[in-house]
Structures are given as structure tokens and as C-alpha cells.
Amino acid sequence: MVPDTTTSPRTGRQELLTALGEIEQRVLWLSAATIDHANRVRPNPTGLKVGGHQASCASMVSIMTTLWFHELTADDRVSVKPHASPALHAVNHLLGELPAGALETLRSFGGLQSYPSRTKDPDPVDYSTGSVGIGATAPIWGALARRYVEGRFPGAGTGRQYALLGDAELDEGACWEAVQDPMVAGLGEVVWIVDLNRQSLDRVVPALSAERLAGMFEAAGWQVLTLKYGEQLTELFSRPGGDALRTRLDTMGNPEYQRLLRCTPAELRDRLPGTGSTREPLERLVATLDDDALHSAVRNLGGHDLGALLDAYAAIDDTRPTVILAYTVKGRGLHSEGHPQNHSSLLTRDQLADLATRTGADLDDPWRPLPADTAAARLCAERAEELRRPPVERIAPPPVPTDFGRTPGGTGTTQQAFGRALLDLSRSAPEAAARVVTVSPDVSSSTNLGGWLNKVGVWSPTERVDWFADDAETILHWRENPTGQHVELGIAETNLVGLLGELGATWSRWGQPLLPIGIMYDPFVNRALEPWQFGIYAGGQSLLVGTPSGVTLAPEGGAHQSITTPSLGLEQPGCTTWEPAFAQDTEWCVLAALSLLGRPDGGSAYLRLSTRPVDQSLAAVPADPAARERRRRQAVAGAYGLRRAEGTPDVTLAAMGAMVPEALTAADRLAGLGVAADVVCVTSPGLLFRATQARRGLDDAPQWVLDQAFPADRAAPLVTLLDGHPHTLAFLGTVHNTPVTPLGVTRFGQSGALDEVHRHHGIDTESVVRAALDLTHRP
């Protein structure tokens, strides 16, 4: 148990605990009643299950009550475990942030979301949560993002970053990837409070060990505070037989303990003493307790002891991250408490009525406020004022240029062009470049970020010595200081996108927009997709760069050849995808992506790049300024006509990214066979798909790019080609309802030379020519 160091300027400790106890009971009632209303009161003509988690809320009620109604400051942020969202809504209702009528809208269309949402809830939410593990780690990256912003653009202030998570969430590897990252050990504002109820969705977890968890956190440099027993049990431990009681509870397995919670007092008197050496002294101790005392003692855990929780908060060491392992009972205070299948269970009407009686609520008037003349009501009003945040004054991001005005020549890759674009931005638009922050999971040097890093430096909370600064053979200068603009994480893609999402949310949290760019190998983008898309859902705007990509990374083999990533732009809401073929297109698309970031009407972007060297003269960038601007607009909008055959085309070759050279060579071959072929360079399948949907009245996206890239008077059978799954471009046949043969990659890759690998997957020039001849029915 941590020492009692808590004092309150508002009232004496006992009076404070009494008021907190009344609020705790009201939060328990409101969360249960909100879920009951959604399932049993609100009309449900479809009969579909609405759901909710009364038991998961109940185990968090004490923790949340002490946090919001005593501990938090207006600068603090809290991530609440997904299944406790009704408890969060109850807290915000008592603080005056949510009207009573809103409590009747849980899981209804336009109402309170199933899980906390920054962008969709009509309720103040600090962090969106839903997928377990993601909400737990978000405050870590939020803390880092706040430090970065405060160091460069003051105004983000201070404040702790809390995560309230269930113990089952610690099964997620993402939690431990974040806990042990070297960047995290110095984040003293991070506090995790683990609801250690020892249950998962299906069962009581048989082997969960708080000692093992504590050791893992301590090994990562975290402070560990364990709240196992409450005041009543602690007092019993001091009585004769108390040592035996503590030994019995400490050594008891989780399932056996949970079974005790379901016992009558008579059954408890028989089961609690056990069968070993502790039985006799325990029988004597139990005999001194009446039924009510015995019933309450067995469930008197630290995570439900208000005083113990306040003491734990006072003991937090702000020089390193802290985890509070708070033992709780799932369903505490409900008829379902401790039952192994209580995860989604609902109280019956009679059980809800009993809960109303025990908590001082009214079943017929469930949202009745606390009496105004009570200490609990006064504390709610006082805390509401203390936690009120002033409106955030949002600064508009600096303008990003659309074109640097130069035309790349020679042979180069889109990956190289990306690195050059960042350097050009720092020269041409220093104010915008100052807002750029790049993040990489230990692949900076291999993704052409060396020049950028040498120019801007690596971010660190404190300056560190670069011991290789005087080494003449060192090309990449690793200068770490608080003014750096690159954050280097360990090899964990989920950490990268978690940080990316929070860096991309600073515009809405503190009014300071950043232009965050995450760079990772494209084959590993799928590993990071879920947390990245959740960051987008939560309002985080960022640019994710996947490079190198595809089977054009031929010698690396199948494990390093991405297939599905080109279609992200079709499938991920809030994200625009570009896969440029040439250096000039890359520059334009990078600038377009950056212009989307840090604004209420903005969004995220994904850029898929290649290490395949391409002759840049194939881009045929127009020299005339007006024609050049027309090409830029088309490239950014999704596609442009790269080559037009004389007269009416017999076939159109629509190619994307690294495969455009094959399409151009195939067009030359076809011309020799008397087949006229147009070549269209596709840069964004997602934007083209939205344009086709808009034609059908299913989207509000602009449609003009279709008319310019695929004019109706040149409609012809299509061969689509990309270094990825062919379905990505197959929809282009619907632009003019023409036949289409989609070529792409549908199998795991192979090591080999580029021509061998392309031939193996049927995306080489020969395959394109054959597909075109088949479509045009040539002999």
C-alpha cells in the first residue's frame, strides 16, 4: 500500500471520501441505467442486440470517480477503456458537459457511440478507443506529441496523460511494444491505471499474475504501484488470524477467488478458510464477522478503495512513466459481480430496481440529479469549474507550395524523389518545413531520409552528444536535440503509426498544426494499418510513406514484396493514396498530401514509393507553364494521359507506379503490330474511384479528372497494370463500360532479377501485349 499523503484544500479527508462515495454510487447507477435504456426502454423494431457492458463499467467506477472528482487538472488527458464508455458519459453528465437526454442515445444513430470517440461523440472525449491496446498506448504518444509541440510552438502546456485499461488489454503486443520503446522511459507524465479484474470476455483468466506484470513494467523503467487490498481487509490482516487470511488470499487462484464472490455468507464461511494450515485460524477470524462484514470484506480490493486510490495518485513519480495495478471486481456492486460470463450481461428489471434503491437513485426518473444541497453535488459543480478548458485557438498551417518549378532528369526512383522533395520544401517554404516532423522505425538511412536528417536533426527531449560528429567517414549525422524534426523509434510499426496519429492531432488538441510524415517499408504497412486507421478515425492527420514497395524489390523475395497496399485509397476512409511513377509526380503528390494536414477539413494520405530506377524523360513533363500546371492538377487528381495514339485508340493501357515503363514499351510494340494504344498514368486509384462514384451520385468528389484522363471519344478496351493486386484498377472499366483485363500480382513473390520476377507474375511487357491483343481480337 502506498503512503497516505493526500490532503484536500476543499474539505477534510473523511468528508471528501463521503462525497466521493455518493458520486461513485451515482456513476455506477447512471452507467447501468444508460445501458439498460438502450437495450430495454428505447424502441428496437429490428430486434438486433444493442449491447453494452454494465459489468465492465462497474469495475472502473471507483477509479474514474477519484480521477475526475479529485485528481485531474484541466491540462490532463484521459483515455478510457472502450467498454467503460457509459461510465465516462455518466461522469461528464455529472460535470454538466452532457445533458440528461443524451444518456438515452447510447448506440443510437447520431447519439453516444459504442466506444469513446473524439470525432463522433456528442460528449467531450480526449482519446478515441475501441480496438483493445490502441487506446492504452495513445496517451504515450500523446505525451510525446505534446512535448514536441511545446518545445517548438509553445502553448501545449503540461499535464498528465492517463490511460484506463483492462488487464486483458495487456495481452495485446502493441502495449508492450510501446512500454519498452526507448523514447518512453522519460515520459513521466504518462500514467496507466490497470483495471485488474482478472476477467476477459469469456472467462476468469486463470494465470494472470500482477507480480509478473509488475516485473515487466519495472524492467522497462516504469514506476509500479499496486493496489491489492482495501482498508477493511488491511485492518483484518492485523487481527489474530489476519496473516493466515492474507496468505490464503495471496495464494488463491483467480477462478477460486471469483467463485467466492458468488457465495452466500454461509458458503463463504466454509470455503474461505480452505483446507490447509490456514483453515483453523481463518475459521476463528471469520467467526468474529457478521454476514455483512464478511460479504464486504471478501470483495474489498484496492481498486475500489477511494482512499487507497487517492494515496496512489499522490505517490506518482513524475520523472518516469507510472502504472497503477488496481485490483478490482468486474461488475462490482451489480448482481452479476464476479460471474465469469458477466461481460455483456444485462441486469433484469428487478435487479435494476434493487440497484436504484442501493444507490439512492429513482428507477422511474433515472436521470434525476443529485440533490443540490449535498456535498456530492457541490463537489461536482466545483470540479466542473476546475476542469473546464478554455477554447483552443487554432492556428492555420502555413501554405504549402504546389510546385517547386524544376523538372527532374536522368534516371531516378520515386523514393529518392521523396527525400529531395523534403529538402526542397525546407528551401522553398521554410515556414511549412518547420511544421514537418518525420518518424521512422529505424529505417531512416535506407529510405532516403539522410539529407533531411542532416539538415534538421533528430528530436530528443535533451541534447545528446554525437560521438561520431568528427568521424570523416560518417555520412548520416545523428544530432539529437530538442529542436530536431525527426523522431526515431525502435523497430515497431505500431508505435510509429500510434505516434503519427497523435502528432497529427495536435492541431485539434492544442491548436498547433504539424505536418507529420511516417516512413516505413511498404511490406510492413499492413502490420500498422489498424492503429493507423484508428488514428485517422480519431482525427489524426498524417502522411504515411511506404517504401520500397512491390515485387520490383525483386532480390528481396516474397516476404518483402507488398501486394495489397495499392488499394488502401479505395478502402480507407479519410485517406488519399498516391502511387507516382516519376520523380515529378512524386514531388507534386507529396506537396498535395502535406496541404491536407493540420486543418479541420483535411485528411491523411498514403504514398507508395519504389526503388526501381526509371528514365525520367519518359514522364514527358510539358515545358509550357500552363500545360505543366494542367499536368500537375491531373497527377494530383488521380491520372493523366501520358501518351495518345494517332487517331482513335484500339486499346488503353492504364498503368500505375513502377510499371509505367512496361506500359510505354508495350504501346510501342503494339504500334508495330498495327494496334493503336493510349497510355494513361494512374497516380491515385482512390481518387479515380471516388470520381466514378460521383458520376453515379454516390459521392461529392470532383469528376473532371475522368474526362481528361479517359475522354469519352477515346474510350477503348482497357488493360490495367500495377505492381500490386489487379483488383485495385479493375473498376476503371466502368468509366465507359468497356472490357477490361486487369494485370497485377496475386501470388507471393520470388527472388530474382527484375525481368524474371515481372514475367513470373505476368506484369512484364509480353503479358501486356498479349492482353491487349486478346482484348482487340487480333490474330
Side-chain angles (χ1 to χ4, degrees), residues 69 101 178 197 309 326 349 368 404 421 435 458 475 486 707 727:
F69 296 95
N197 59 49
L309 286 163
R349 185 69 173 174
R368 185 183 67 188
F404 293 135
R435 297 275 172 173
V458 178
I475 299 175
H486 175 79
D707 297 325
H727 88 275

Side-chain angles (χ1 to χ4, degrees), residues 634-646:
Q634 292 172 342
V636 168
Y640 58 87
L642 181 57
R643 182 181 296 179
R644 299 298 191 196
E646 292 185 11

Side-chain angles (χ1 to χ4, degrees), residues 390-591:
V392 174
E393 181 181 352
R394 292 176 179 167
I395 297 173
V400 176
T402 59
D403 191 343
F404 293 135
R406 61 176 181 81
T407 303
T411 299
T413 73
T414 54
Q415 178 177 292
Q416 292 168 342
F418 168 71
R420 285 196 300 269
L422 290 182
L423 289 175
D424 286 344
L425 183 70
S426 65
R427 301 185 191 103
S428 302
E431 289 188 7
R435 297 275 172 173
V436 171
V437 52
T438 55
V439 187
S440 169
D442 198 40
V443 295
S444 300
S445 57
S446 58
T447 54
N448 286 88
L449 278 185
W452 168 255
L453 261 67
N454 287 342
K455 184 174 182 62
V456 303
V458 178
W459 182 84
S460 173
T462 58
E463 187 161 0
R464 297 175 180 172
V465 175
D466 179 5
W467 293 104
F468 288 86
D470 59 350
D471 187 331
E473 295 183 7
T474 298
I475 299 175
L476 183 64
H477 300 291
W478 207 259
R479 295 179 291 106
E480 297 181 85
N481 55 64
T483 63
Q485 290 180 244
H486 175 79
V487 182
E488 187 81 0
L489 300 176
I491 305 174
E493 286 78 11
T494 56
N495 286 351
L496 179 139
V497 295
L499 175 56
L500 209 57
E502 291 306 318
L503 290 168
T506 60
W507 66 274
S508 59
R509 290 196 194 283
W510 301 293
Q512 290 288 355
L514 295 176
L515 308 180
I517 304 173
I519 303 96
M520 69 172 66
Y521 291 162
D522 197 72
F524 309 137
V525 165
N526 284 329
R527 185 185 300 174
L529 271 184
E530 190 208 2
W532 188 54
Q533 72 178 5
F534 209 84
I536 295 174
Y537 170 76
Q541 299 171 359
S542 61
L543 169 57
L544 182 63
V545 179
T547 183
S549 66
V551 300
T552 52
L553 193 62
E556 292 283 353
H560 282 68
Q561 296 175 349
S562 52
I563 297 174
T564 61
T565 51
S567 62
L568 286 183
L570 298 172
E571 298 145 4
Q572 176 57 53
C575 171
T576 302
T577 293
W578 283 286
E579 184 170 347
F582 303 106
Q584 184 64 76
D585 297 350
T586 303
E587 172 195 302
W588 289 335
C589 292
V590 167
L591 296 176

Side-chain angles (χ1 to χ4, degrees), residues 204-538:
V204 177
V205 180
L208 178 67
S209 168
E211 291 77 15
R212 178 175 61 85
L213 293 175
M216 295 167 70
F217 279 105
E218 287 170 348
W222 288 49
Q223 177 192 26
V224 179
L225 302 175
T226 301
L227 300 181
K228 189 167 187 180
Y229 300 120
E231 182 179 1
Q232 184 183 3
L233 271 177
T234 302
E235 191 277 326
L236 286 177
F237 295 155
S238 67
R239 297 188 189 182
D243 289 341
L245 175 60
R246 182 158 204 155
T247 299
R248 172 81 169 114
L249 291 175
D250 281 345
T251 58
M252 184 182 295
N254 297 333
E256 183 181 4
Y257 172 76
Q258 296 282 109
R259 183 64 185 89
L260 293 181
L261 301 176
R262 309 295 299 169
C263 289
T264 65
E267 292 171 329
L268 266 178
R269 295 181 190 281
D270 177 59
R271 287 176 179 253
L272 180 58
T275 58
S277 60
T278 60
R279 185 168 183 84
E280 185 175 343
L282 270 179
E283 285 182 328
R284 291 196 298 270
L285 177 59
V286 167
T288 66
L289 305 176
D290 61 30
D291 286 353
D292 289 341
L294 180 60
H295 179 271
S296 62
V298 77
R299 51 193 32 82
N300 180 228
L301 301 181
H304 299 300
D305 190 299
L306 302 178
L309 286 163
L310 296 183
D311 295 342
Y313 304 149
I316 291 173
D317 176 5
D318 286 320
T319 66
R320 55 182 173 148
T322 295
V323 61
I324 300 174
L325 301 176
Y327 280 75
T328 61
V329 174
K330 192 165 183 175
R332 177 72 152 81
L334 307 180
H335 283 260
S336 61
E337 68 177 1
H339 194 283
Q341 280 86 52
N342 66 5
H343 184 77
S344 297
S345 65
L346 295 172
L347 299 179
T348 66
R349 185 69 173 174
D350 289 343
Q351 291 169 345
L352 194 70
D354 178 65
L355 179 65
T357 300
R358 288 188 286 111
T359 58
D362 187 340
L363 183 64
D364 297 321
D365 186 10
W367 323 125
R368 185 183 67 188
L370 290 164
D373 60 347
T374 62
R378 289 193 293 273
L379 180 57
C380 288
E382 185 178 336
R383 290 298 290 157
E385 190 61 32
E386 292 172 355
L387 294 176
R388 187 163 292 117
R389 297 170 183 161
V392 174
E393 181 181 352
R394 292 176 179 167
I395 297 173
V400 176
T402 59
D403 191 343
F404 293 135
R406 61 176 181 81
T407 303
T411 299
T413 73
T414 54
Q415 178 177 292
Q416 292 168 342
F418 168 71
R420 285 196 300 269
L422 290 182
L423 289 175
D424 286 344
L425 183 70
S426 65
R427 301 185 191 103
S428 302
E431 289 188 7
R435 297 275 172 173
V436 171
V437 52
T438 55
V439 187
S440 169
D442 198 40
V443 295
S444 300
S445 57
S446 58
T447 54
N448 286 88
L449 278 185
W452 168 255
L453 261 67
N454 287 342
K455 184 174 182 62
V456 303
V458 178
W459 182 84
S460 173
T462 58
E463 187 161 0
R464 297 175 180 172
V465 175
D466 179 5
W467 293 104
F468 288 86
D470 59 350
D471 187 331
E473 295 183 7
T474 298
I475 299 175
L476 183 64
H477 300 291
W478 207 259
R479 295 179 291 106
E480 297 181 85
N481 55 64
T483 63
Q485 290 180 244
H486 175 79
V487 182
E488 187 81 0
L489 300 176
I491 305 174
E493 286 78 11
T494 56
N495 286 351
L496 179 139
V497 295
L499 175 56
L500 209 57
E502 291 306 318
L503 290 168
T506 60
W507 66 274
S508 59
R509 290 196 194 283
W510 301 293
Q512 290 288 355
L514 295 176
L515 308 180
I517 304 173
I519 303 96
M520 69 172 66
Y521 291 162
D522 197 72
F524 309 137
V525 165
N526 284 329
R527 185 185 300 174
L529 271 184
E530 190 208 2
W532 188 54
Q533 72 178 5
F534 209 84
I536 295 174
Y537 170 76

Side-chain angles (χ1 to χ4, degrees), residues 27 64 68 80 84-93 98 116 123-126:
V27 173
M64 296 177 69
W68 266 270
V80 178
S85 63
L88 175 61
H89 302 319
V91 165
N92 283 332
H93 169 64
L98 192 69
D123 188 16
V125 172
D126 290 333

